[in-house]
Amino acid sequence: MGEKIIVDVDKRQTRVAMLEEGRLAEVLYEQQEEERVVGNIYLGRVSDVVPGLDAAFVECGIEKNAFLHVSDAIQPEPPKRSGRTPPISSVLSAGQQIMVQVTKGPLANKGARATRHLSLPGRHLVLMPESSTKVGVSKKIEDEGEQKRLRQLASRVRPEGFGVIVRTQAEGADYKELEDDVKFLMKLWRSIQNKAQQSTAPALIHEDLSLVFEVVRDTFSEETEEFIVNDKVTYDRVLNLLDSVVPELRNRVELYRSHEPIFDHYGIEQEISKALRRKVWLPHGGYIAIDPTEALTAIDVNTGKFTGTGSLEETVLRTNVEAAEEIGRQLRLRGIGGIIVIDFIDMDKAKHRKQVSSTLHEAFTKDRKRTRIQHITRLGLVEMTRKRTENNLAQKLQTPCPYCTGSGKVLSAETVAMRAIRQLRVSNIKQGAAVVVADPMVCLALVGPHGTGAEQLEDELSFDLFIRATRDIHPEEYEIVPTSLQQVHHYKVDDCLTINNDDLLAVPHAGLLAIVDGYLVEVPEASADAQTPLQVRLTKADNSYCRATPV
């Protein structure tokens, strides 16, 4: 089973899933109402030059001004090891019009990152206008003979004054295919120049391909067995594009016609849901835990339920090897980039560390993003980086929890209850009463076992206290409202109540607990899973707590 590309086109969103050996390896999203900026070329205006950052901010017409570092502003592009760069103030000035290309989209609170070193990707080559006469070949082409052949062909087709890089897709390509790519890209470059001359900054000069056609250009290859799309218009456009670039792949494109959603049919929706979880289980019972932070992503490897059948060393090695394979897949699938630190289980033997390191490198051979992996240490730590150009999967599909605001935790009910008690003690309520409105679990902590906590608190405060629960309040918040006894509704002994299923509190308890009209009601003689609606009669009715018995 080889590679498949599954395309789900919707009026609001386009999604592309890439399957390798039947497993989801990567998923890409494009919102129809959102502007894709990575790869776009703009005629921008320098808004600010910031010597302290050695950078400038460029107004491009997108939401936030783009960040342009001095190393990306120097023309022509300097060699990577050229030493010190000149100050940004000697390269750019405020108000200057320049042509820039976005290399990294906006992330969180940061704007896009841009460069003046433009590049135009084709299927086989990347053309670098107004650059050095550099000729490069993708490092993912491992055969040295093929690298040499492609370098020679690229040197022959390279236009004067331009640089070219041979892409991985070009492996096995002939002179004409590279020449056709260069002709197309030169025509595109002349069109960009003409548009720039006729425009006023800020202006979009060149928009990169939409998601589906970018995948056709960059990913669809001989290794792809099927390209399946659920939209007839997109299907026809893909075929037309292939006619002009790789007509031999036309017969691998298929139009999906079933009524079942295409991502459900291929099991992709379920895999996406799994990719949002913190813990990922490995084949033999081990697992990895993935924890993103603002600075880096930490990945922990654990043996979990895997006890092995041989020695501890073999158990650890097998778990680490499985983890290395899965980490390569998960980082691609989740779109995680930046600094990544992996904590493998400690290995004493150097050959075991070498085997795990080799497996980790191999797991990224098909990754289109640039990665750098450091050696594994004796403590089992690996530091690596993966190029980040856009938000990851979780950032695209999830939003911070309105309760914990992204921390993953909220204050305990006991902590919030103690805060409310401290505030009640310093309140200016001298007579009358007060109502405390809080989350049910906070109320439970305030009321205490059988209402004793509320009784003691009233004796201490010397005024009537009415604790009322609501599910419509943040678990960390509460309200204290001064009132009078006449304004507060409260039940009396022998009152009859109806407890419905929505009233029940799912907490470990000997009997049944419920919230009725804000009151905490305990029914010791009923079980927590009693059938509802349940009729009860009150045998105790305090200001904040009621005890009842089934009728």
Side-chain angles (χ1 to χ4, degrees):
M1 188 180 296
E3 299 179 5
K4 288 184 180 180
I5 297 175
I6 313 296
V7 180
D8 176 28
V9 179
D10 188 83
K11 290 180 180 178
R12 298 186 178 186
Q13 183 186 67
T14 296
R15 300 183 295 175
V16 177
M18 301 179 194
L19 279 63
E20 294 173 2
E21 303 299 327
R23 300 187 70 197
L24 183 62
E26 201 170 342
V27 60
L28 307 172
Y29 287 78
E30 181 181 63
Q31 300 291 136
Q32 302 300 357
E33 68 274 11
E34 288 184 0
E35 182 184 9
R36 295 180 78 232
V37 297
V38 177
N40 288 358
I41 296 175
Y42 296 88
L43 180 63
R45 181 186 295 109
V46 178
S47 60
D48 294 293
V49 175
V50 187
L53 297 176
D54 254 348
F57 289 91
V58 183
E59 182 186 358
C60 297
I62 54 182
E63 186 177 355
K64 291 183 178 180
N65 291 348
F67 178 84
L68 178 66
H69 189 260
V70 64
S71 60
D72 291 313
I74 304 169
Q75 286 187 312
E77 182 178 358
K80 290 187 176 180
R81 297 183 180 180
S82 58
R84 291 178 58 85
T85 54
I88 186 67
S89 54
S90 67
V91 179
L92 295 173
S93 57
Q96 182 179 347
Q97 292 193 51
I98 56 173
M99 199 148 54
V100 295
Q101 185 171 34
V102 174
T103 57
K104 183 184 290 186
L107 297 171
N109 297 321
K110 297 179 180 179
R113 180 154 184 163
T115 180
R116 296 178 75 186
H117 310 145
L118 310 182
S119 61
L120 301 176
R123 183 166 178 82
H124 301 296
L125 296 171
V126 176
L127 183 70
M128 295 178 292
E130 300 179 350
S131 179
S132 62
T133 56
K134 173 183 176 181
V135 176
V137 179
S138 169
K139 294 180 180 178
K140 291 189 176 182
I141 299 177
E142 297 177 354
D143 185 276
E144 292 184 5
E146 179 66 359
Q147 282 189 13
K148 184 178 180 180
R149 184 187 74 87
L150 289 171
R151 192 181 300 275
Q152 291 173 344
L153 291 180
S155 298
R156 290 169 57 193
V157 300
R158 181 187 64 81
E160 187 67 30
F162 288 73
V164 293
I165 297 176
V166 181
R167 307 187 68 182
T168 310
Q169 290 274 57
E171 191 166 5
D174 57 27
Y175 176 83
K176 186 177 186 306
E177 288 174 309
L178 300 188
E179 185 183 41
D180 288 345
D181 239 17
V182 168
K183 288 179 179 177
F184 169 77
L185 294 174
M186 285 298 295
K187 182 178 178 182
L188 176 61
W189 172 239
R190 286 191 288 269
S191 171
I192 290 171
Q193 285 182 306
N194 291 336
K195 188 171 181 181
Q197 290 171 359
Q198 299 168 14
S199 303
T200 303
L204 173 64
I205 301 301
H206 167 69
E207 187 172 10
D208 202 12
L209 295 176
S210 63
L211 177 61
V212 175
F213 303 104
E214 179 186 320
V215 169
V216 172
R217 180 192 68 195
D218 297 345
T219 309
F220 193 21
S221 67
E222 290 289 342
E223 295 180 359
T224 308
E225 291 184 350
E226 294 178 282
F227 186 105
I228 306 166
V229 58
N230 66 344
D231 177 69
K232 181 65 166 62
V233 173
T234 306
Y235 169 79
D236 290 335
R237 292 180 63 192
V238 168
L239 291 181
N240 290 336
L241 178 60
L242 290 173
D243 277 337
S244 59
V245 288
V246 272
E248 61 272 17
L249 295 181
R250 287 183 90 259
N251 61 352
R252 303 190 188 189
V253 182
E254 177 185 332
L255 178 62
Y256 180 80
R257 300 177 184 274
S258 174
H259 291 292
E260 182 184 14
I262 188 169
F263 270 31
D264 287 330
H265 180 79
Y266 289 97
I268 296 169
E269 293 288 9
Q270 185 179 4
E271 289 299 311
I272 292 173
S273 297
K274 288 180 181 179
L276 296 174
R277 299 174 188 169
R278 174 179 179 266
K279 187 180 290 187
V280 181
W281 289 99
L282 302 174
H284 288 86
Y287 69 88
I288 60 175
I290 303 174
D291 294 297
T293 71
E294 189 167 341
L296 52 82
T297 298
I299 302 178
D300 189 34
V301 181
N302 295 278
T303 53
K305 298 178 287 187
F306 181 43
T307 56
T309 56
S311 66
L312 174 61
E313 285 183 344
E314 292 300 320
T315 302
V316 168
L317 175 62
R318 187 164 193 172
T319 302
N320 281 340
V321 167
E322 289 181 356
E325 293 172 348
E326 187 63 29
I327 286 168
R329 173 175 174 262
Q330 289 295 326
L331 292 183
R332 289 178 62 197
L333 177 55
R334 298 172 186 236
I336 293 175
I339 300 172
I340 299 148
V341 177
I342 308 167
D343 183 11
F344 287 104
I345 307 169
D346 293 357
M347 294 171 288
D348 293 328
K349 293 185 178 180
K351 67 176 184 179
H352 286 179
R353 295 196 296 270
K354 185 176 180 180
Q355 183 177 343
V356 172
S357 182
S358 176
T359 303
L360 184 64
H361 278 84
E362 190 175 340
F364 290 96
T365 52
K366 292 188 178 180
D367 192 359
R368 294 179 296 128
K369 299 289 177 65
R370 185 176 67 250
T371 57
R372 293 176 181 172
I373 304 173
Q374 302 298 318
H375 295 296
I376 190 167
T377 69
R378 287 186 63 86
L379 295 177
L381 293 177
V382 172
E383 297 175 4
M384 65 171 289
T385 60
R386 183 172 184 268
K387 187 176 181 181
R388 178 171 56 187
T389 58
E390 57 184 358
N391 288 329
N392 61 43
L393 186 66
Q395 291 168 324
K396 290 176 181 177
L397 301 186
Q398 296 176 317
T399 188
C401 168
Y403 292 106
C404 70
T405 60
S407 72
K409 298 179 186 295
V410 292
L411 293 174
S412 67
E414 290 76 13
T415 301
V416 179
M418 287 306 303
R419 287 185 174 181
I421 290 170
R422 285 191 285 268
Q423 187 171 337
L424 284 165
R425 286 171 178 160
V426 299
S427 65
N428 293 321
I429 302 170
K430 302 299 183 183
Q431 56 185 358
V435 177
V436 178
V437 181
D439 177 81
M441 299 309 296
V442 176
C443 290
L444 191 59
L446 285 168
V447 168
H450 313 300
T452 56
E455 292 172 0
Q456 294 170 1
L457 193 55
E458 280 188 310
D459 291 340
E460 177 189 343
L461 298 171
S462 301
F463 58 79
D464 286 290
L465 184 65
F466 297 89
I467 298 170
R468 295 291 182 266
T470 177
R471 291 184 171 91
D472 298 328
I473 195 170
H474 192 289
E476 294 183 349
E477 295 178 358
Y478 56 86
E479 296 176 5
I480 298 177
V481 183
T483 186
S484 64
L485 288 172
Q486 292 74 25
Q487 291 177 304
V488 183
H489 166 264
H490 55 90
Y491 288 114
K492 301 183 294 296
V493 172
D494 289 332
D495 282 351
C496 289
L497 308 178
T498 300
I499 297 177
N500 295 305
N501 190 62
D502 290 343
D503 300 327
L504 300 179
L505 282 180
V507 294
H509 197 74
L512 179 146
L513 280 175
I515 297 293
V516 181
D517 293 332
Y519 266 97
L520 180 66
V521 180
E522 181 181 17
V523 189
E525 300 165 20
S527 65
D529 56 354
Q531 189 172 0
T532 56
L534 177 67
Q535 299 292 324
V536 298
R537 181 177 58 83
L538 299 185
T539 58
K540 180 179 180 179
D542 293 337
N543 288 345
S544 305
Y545 165 84
C546 294
R547 188 166 60 240
T549 185
V551 175

